[in-house]
Amino acid sequence: MITPDTKDWTWVLDRPCPECGFVAAETRPQDVPALMRKCAVRWVQVLADEPERLRARPRPDVWSALEYACHVRDVFRLYDERLDLMLTQDGPHYANWQQDETAVAARYGEQDPLQVAAELSAWGETLAEHLDEVGEGQWQRTGFRSDGAAFTVDTFARYFVHDVIHHLYDVGAPLDR
């Protein structure tokens, strides 16, 4: 059983992450698409490892590299949907997403690493393209997480990319920046 992560990670918008070293405050939202593309390439490299190694958990309560990659793929898709809501609706509220329940229901640890790599790459590029298209006047549009946390497209992009970078750190494949 995975130990659910119940931390509110929004603090990464205000101070550097002591684990992965990402500094959201020094990251321009316009730079996020390029960072995402670098992350997607790095994830594809991670997924080129032997399937048995990708499925191995470092501890029973910690996701395997494959499970993290499936999570990142789904985060790319989910954040693309949320970005669309922020750009097309005024102050949308996002439905809660139970990432740990999704991991179990979708059987993350049993998925085909090559298929996950292809999907992760495709969703990463889709989201990067959509972020590339954000106009100067759209970075301050708002959206709200189910727990009430408020984001602008700017903070949303920087918060999101930390998640993807941090999970590379989690699997021992930190992003060279």
Side-chain angles (χ1 to χ4, degrees), residues 151-171:
F151 291 93
T152 62
V153 174
D154 171 357
T155 59
F156 172 85
R158 293 183 291 120
Y159 171 83
F160 155 77
V161 80
H162 166 260
D163 190 60
V164 177
I165 290 170
H166 195 96
H167 291 321
L168 283 168
Y169 168 84
D170 287 333
V171 300

Side-chain angles (χ1 to χ4, degrees), residues 43 67-77 120 164 167:
W43 274 108
E67 289 168 311
Y68 272 117
C70 289
H71 168 74
V72 168
R73 174 206 55 207
D74 290 352
V75 165
F76 280 151
R77 178 193 50 76
L120 184 152
V164 177
H167 291 321

Side-chain angles (χ1 to χ4, degrees), residues 126-159:
T126 296
L127 179 53
E129 287 173 1
H130 291 154
L131 282 167
D132 276 335
E133 296 168 359
V134 172
E136 208 46 50
Q138 296 178 303
W139 289 107
Q140 295 310 308
R141 291 188 58 84
T142 59
F144 300 88
R145 207 167 53 188
S146 61
D147 66 359
F151 291 93
T152 62
V153 174
D154 171 357
T155 59
F156 172 85
R158 293 183 291 120
Y159 171 83

